C-alpha cells in the first residue's frame, strides 16, 4: 500500500487528485466542528453522557458531529439510506429494474433519483431532530430558530453529498466512503486520550495496552484476508466460427467475494437492535425502559447475551438477503449461456443456477459468521473488560479497512490505465 501511494505521489496528475481529496476531507472536518446556532452546549453534553441507542451509529458516521450538533450533524446518512432504498427498489419495481439494466444512462437516472430522495430524507430527519430530540437543547425555541436549524442541517447534509460526488469526479476513491472513513479516523485521538486517562487512573496497565495493539493488528489482518477473499468459478467459452474468423475458446472465471455484502448487514442489524434503546430515550424511568435496559441492552444482564444472539441472527439473515440482491445466479447463468460460456463439468441452464446458488450459500455462511464475529465480539469485550469507552469497534474497523483497500485499488487501476495510455501513444 505504501509503495502504491509513493508511486502515485510521483505522478503529477495523481498527486493533484490526492491533494484535492485531502482538501475536501479537511473541509468536511472543519464543518464538523462548526456548531448549529442557538444550542445549549451544557444540556447537549448531558444528553449524550449515557446510552444513546441508534444515535451511536449516527455519531459514528458523522465523526462526532451528531453528538455535538454541528452543521454536518446529519452527515451522509440520508444519502446512504436513499442509496439502499433505490437498490431495494430495483428488486421490487420493474421501472427501477429496467433502469439498472440500461447501462450508463440508467445509472445516471438512478443517481439523480437518489439525490432527490437524499434531500427529502435529510429534510425529514432535520425536522424530526429539531422539533423532537434536540428541542430541549434549543435556547430560544421559536419558529424562526427552528426553521433556521432545519435549513442548516438539510443544507449541510446536501453539501456533504455534493462533496462526495466531487471527490468521485476529481479525486481518488469513493467520496461517500471516504467521508465516513474521515469521520471514524477523527475519533482515534479521542480513543487515545481515553486510554491515557485509564492508564493514569490505574484502570489499565501497559501490558493490557500492548495486548490491545497486538489483538488489533491480528483483527486487521483477518479483516483484510476476508475482504480480499474471492472464490474463482472457472468458465470456459466455446469456439465460434463467424465468417472466416474464429471467436471464443478462452478460459476465464467468475469472482465471487467471500464478503459480498460488505458492512451493510451490520448496519441494518444495528439499526433494528438499537431502535428499542432509542425509544427508551424518550420515556425515561418507565417499565418499558427498565425491561429494554435489562433484556435488550448490551450493557444489561442478561441483556448482553440476548443482544449478542439477536445480533448474530440478524447479521446472518441480512447477509443472505443483501447477497441475493447483488448476485443473481439465474442472471449470471443466462448471460454465460447467451455468450456460449459454461462451467466445466456443469451443464448449462438449471444445473449451473443450482451450482452457483450452492457456492453463494456457502460463501454467505462464511461471510455472515465473519461479520457476526466482527460486530459481536467488541460488544462482549466492552462489557467484561475496562475497554468500555473505545471510540470505535468492529464496524468501524471493517469500514476503515474496506475503504482503505478500495482506495488503494483505485489508485493502482488509475496508474495502470495511465501506463496503457502512454504505451498506446
Amino acid at each position: 500500500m505504501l509503495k502504491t501511494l509513493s508511486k502515485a505521489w510521483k505522478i503529477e496528475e495523481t498527486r493533484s487528485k490526492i491533494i484535492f481529496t485531502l482538501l475536501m476531507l479537511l473541509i468536511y472536518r472543519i464543518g464538523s466542528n462548526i456548531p448549529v446556532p442557538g444550542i445549549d452546549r451544557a444540556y447537549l453534553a448531558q444528553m449524550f453522557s449515557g446510552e444513546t441507542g441508534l444515535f451511536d451509529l449516527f455519531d459514528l458516521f458523522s465523526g462526532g458531529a451528531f453528538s455535538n450538533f454541528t452543521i454536518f450533524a446529519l452527515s451522509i446518512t440520508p444519502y446512504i439510506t436513499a442509496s439502499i432504498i433505490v437498490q431495494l427498489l430495483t428488486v421490487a419495481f420493474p421501472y427501477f429494474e429496467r433502469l439498472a439494466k440500461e447501462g450508463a444512462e440508467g445509472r445516471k437516472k438512478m443517481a439523480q433519483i437518489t439525490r432527490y430522495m437524499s434531500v427529502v430524507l435529510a429534510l425529514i430527519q432535520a425536522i424530526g431532530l429539531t422539533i423532537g430530540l434536540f428541542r430541549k437543547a434549543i435556547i430560544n425555541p421559536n419558529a424562526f430558530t427552528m426553521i433556521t436549524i432545519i435549513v442548516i442541517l438539510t443544507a449541510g447534509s446536501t453539501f456533504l453529498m455534493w462533496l462526495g460526488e466531487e471527490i468521485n469526479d476529481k479525486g481518488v476513491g469513493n467520496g461517500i466512503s471516504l467521508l465516513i472513513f474521515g469521520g471514524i479516523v477523527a475519533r482515534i485521538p479521542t480513543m487515545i486520550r481515553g486510554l491515557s486517562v485509564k492508564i493514569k487512573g490505574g484502570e489499565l496497565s501497559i501490558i493490557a495496552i500492548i495486548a490491545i495493539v497486538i489483538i488489533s493488528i491480528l483483527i486487521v489482518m483477518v479483516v483484510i484476508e476476508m475482504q480480499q477473499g474471492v472464490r474463482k468459478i472457472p468458465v470456459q467459452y466455446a469456439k465460434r466460427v463467424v465468417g472466416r474468423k474464429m471467436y471464443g475458446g478462452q478460459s476465464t472465471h467468475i469472482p465471487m467475494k467471500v464478503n459480498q455484502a460488505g458492512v451493510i448487514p451490520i448496519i441494518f442489524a444495528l439499526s433494528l437492535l438499537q431502535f428499542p434503546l432509542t425509544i427508551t430515550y424518550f420515556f425515561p424511568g418507565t417499565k418499558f425502559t427498565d425491561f429494554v435496559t435489562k433484556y435488550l441492552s448490551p450493557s444489561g444482564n442478561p441483556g448482553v447475551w440476548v443482544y449478542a444472539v439477536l445480533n448474530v441472527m440478524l447479521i446472518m439473515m441480512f447477509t443472505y438477503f443483501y447477497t441475493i440482491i447483488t448476485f443473481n445466479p439465474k442472471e449470471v447463468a443466462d448471460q454465460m449461456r447467451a455468450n456460449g460460456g459454461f462451467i466445466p463439468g456443469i451443464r448449462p441452464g438449471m444445473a449451473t443456477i443450482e451450482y452457483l446458488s450452492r457456492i453463494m450459500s456457502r460463501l454467505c455462511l462464511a461471510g455472515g459468521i465473519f461479520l457476526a464475529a466482527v460486530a459481536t465480539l467488541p460488544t462482549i469485550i466492552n462489557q467484561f473488560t475496562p475497554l468500555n469507552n473505545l471510540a470505535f469497534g468492529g464496524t468501524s474497523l471493517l469500514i476503515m479497512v474496506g475503504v482503505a483497500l478500495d482506495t488503494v485499488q483505485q489508485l493502482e487501476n488509475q496508474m495502470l490505465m495511465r501506463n496503457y495510455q502512454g504505451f498506446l501513444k
Side-chain angles (χ1 to χ4, degrees):
M1 183 180 69
L2 295 176
K3 186 177 180 181
T4 301
L5 292 174
S6 176
K7 289 182 178 180
W9 187 260
K10 294 177 182 178
I11 303 173
E12 183 178 356
E13 181 183 355
T14 310
R15 183 169 65 248
S16 300
K17 291 183 176 182
I18 294 175
I19 293 174
F20 178 83
T21 303
L22 294 175
L23 288 175
M24 295 298 101
L25 292 176
L26 178 62
I27 292 173
Y28 166 57
R29 291 312 307 162
I30 291 174
S32 297
N33 290 279
I34 300 176
V36 172
I39 300 296
D40 185 353
R41 298 292 146 188
Y43 186 85
L44 197 64
Q46 184 181 356
M47 286 177 59
F48 288 89
S49 58
E51 288 287 335
T52 51
L54 181 61
F55 306 139
D56 286 334
L57 182 63
F58 295 155
D59 208 35
L60 168 67
F61 284 172
S62 65
F66 182 83
S67 59
N68 294 321
F69 207 44
T70 66
I71 60 175
F72 292 159
L74 295 181
S75 187
I76 39 80
T77 49
Y79 183 84
I80 295 175
T81 305
S83 300
I84 294 173
I85 291 174
V86 171
Q87 286 183 6
L88 294 177
L89 289 177
T90 58
V91 181
F93 293 93
Y95 173 73
F96 288 93
E97 184 180 0
R98 188 169 63 254
L99 287 179
K101 296 179 179 179
E102 286 182 357
E105 287 299 321
R107 289 193 298 269
K108 185 177 179 181
K109 183 67 175 178
M110 290 178 66
Q112 188 177 11
I113 294 173
T114 304
R115 293 190 198 103
Y116 290 144
M117 190 180 296
S118 301
V119 175
V120 173
L121 290 175
L123 179 61
I124 294 173
Q125 289 186 21
I127 293 173
L129 291 178
T130 305
I131 298 178
L133 178 64
F134 291 99
R135 183 181 180 88
K136 294 182 180 180
I138 300 174
I139 298 174
N140 186 17
N142 54 42
F144 177 77
T145 305
M146 294 285 195
I147 293 174
T148 302
I149 294 175
I150 291 171
V151 170
I152 289 175
L153 292 177
T154 306
S157 180
T158 305
F159 176 77
L160 287 182
M161 179 179 64
W162 173 83
L163 207 66
E165 293 184 349
E166 285 295 298
I167 293 176
N168 290 340
D169 294 337
K170 303 175 184 177
V172 176
N174 184 286
I176 303 300
S177 299
L178 284 173
L179 292 179
I180 299 175
F181 177 86
I184 296 173
V185 170
R187 304 183 71 181
I188 294 180
T190 304
M191 182 195 70
I192 295 175
R193 185 167 59 251
L195 290 176
S196 64
V197 170
K198 288 180 178 293
I199 293 174
K200 292 178 181 179
E203 298 180 44
L204 283 177
S205 63
I206 300 298
I207 297 177
I209 297 298
I210 295 174
I212 292 172
V213 173
I214 294 174
I215 292 173
S216 300
I217 293 173
L218 291 176
I219 292 175
V220 169
M221 291 173 61
V222 172
V223 169
I224 291 174
E225 288 295 326
M226 293 299 293
Q227 287 290 93
Q228 298 290 84
V230 174
R231 170 72 183 271
K232 296 181 179 180
I233 308 298
V235 177
Q236 181 71 37
Y237 285 93
K239 293 182 180 180
R240 295 179 300 163
V241 178
V242 181
R244 295 183 178 181
K245 294 184 178 181
M246 182 176 292
Y247 297 91
Q250 75 270 21
S251 298
T252 182
H253 65 271
I254 301 173
M256 296 180 66
K257 296 186 66 175
V258 177
N259 184 22
Q260 182 78 19
V263 76
I264 296 297
I266 295 180
I267 295 175
F268 281 8
L270 188 64
S271 301
L272 287 179
L273 281 176
Q274 295 201 339
F275 182 73
L277 297 175
T278 305
I279 299 299
T280 62
Y281 189 82
F282 297 96
F283 303 99
T286 61
K287 291 184 179 180
F288 171 77
T289 300
D290 295 337
F291 175 82
V292 171
T293 303
K294 182 177 181 180
Y295 292 101
L296 297 178
S297 171
S299 60
N301 188 15
V304 60
W305 302 110
V306 177
Y307 184 93
V309 171
L310 290 176
N311 197 23
V312 171
M313 293 174 60
L314 287 173
I315 288 175
M316 296 294 294
M317 183 186 70
F318 283 125
T319 300
Y320 278 90
F321 173 74
Y322 197 78
T323 302
I324 291 173
I325 292 178
T326 56
F327 183 86
N328 190 330
K330 186 178 185 304
E331 290 184 0
V332 175
D334 291 343
Q335 289 177 2
M336 280 197 302
R337 191 172 186 177
N339 292 298
F342 62 93
I343 300 173
I346 307 296
R347 296 183 61 182
M350 186 56 65
T352 300
I353 296 174
E354 292 176 354
Y355 177 77
L356 292 176
S357 299
R358 186 165 62 250
I359 297 298
M360 185 184 69
S361 298
R362 293 175 181 175
L363 293 178
C364 281
L365 179 61
I369 293 174
F370 160 69
L371 291 176
V374 168
T376 306
L377 287 179
T379 301
I380 298 175
I381 292 173
N382 288 348
Q383 178 67 20
F384 295 102
T385 67
L387 307 176
N388 56 350
N389 290 319
L390 289 181
F392 57 89
T395 305
S396 307
L397 193 61
L398 189 63
I399 294 173
M400 290 173 63
V401 173
V403 173
L405 291 174
D406 181 63
T407 304
V408 172
Q409 184 65 45
Q410 288 197 29
L411 274 175
E412 291 178 348
N413 292 340
Q414 288 185 16
M415 289 190 294
L416 186 64
M417 184 62 66
R418 185 177 182 276
N419 291 335
Y420 278 141
Q421 290 175 351
F423 175 76
L424 291 174
K425 290 179 180 178

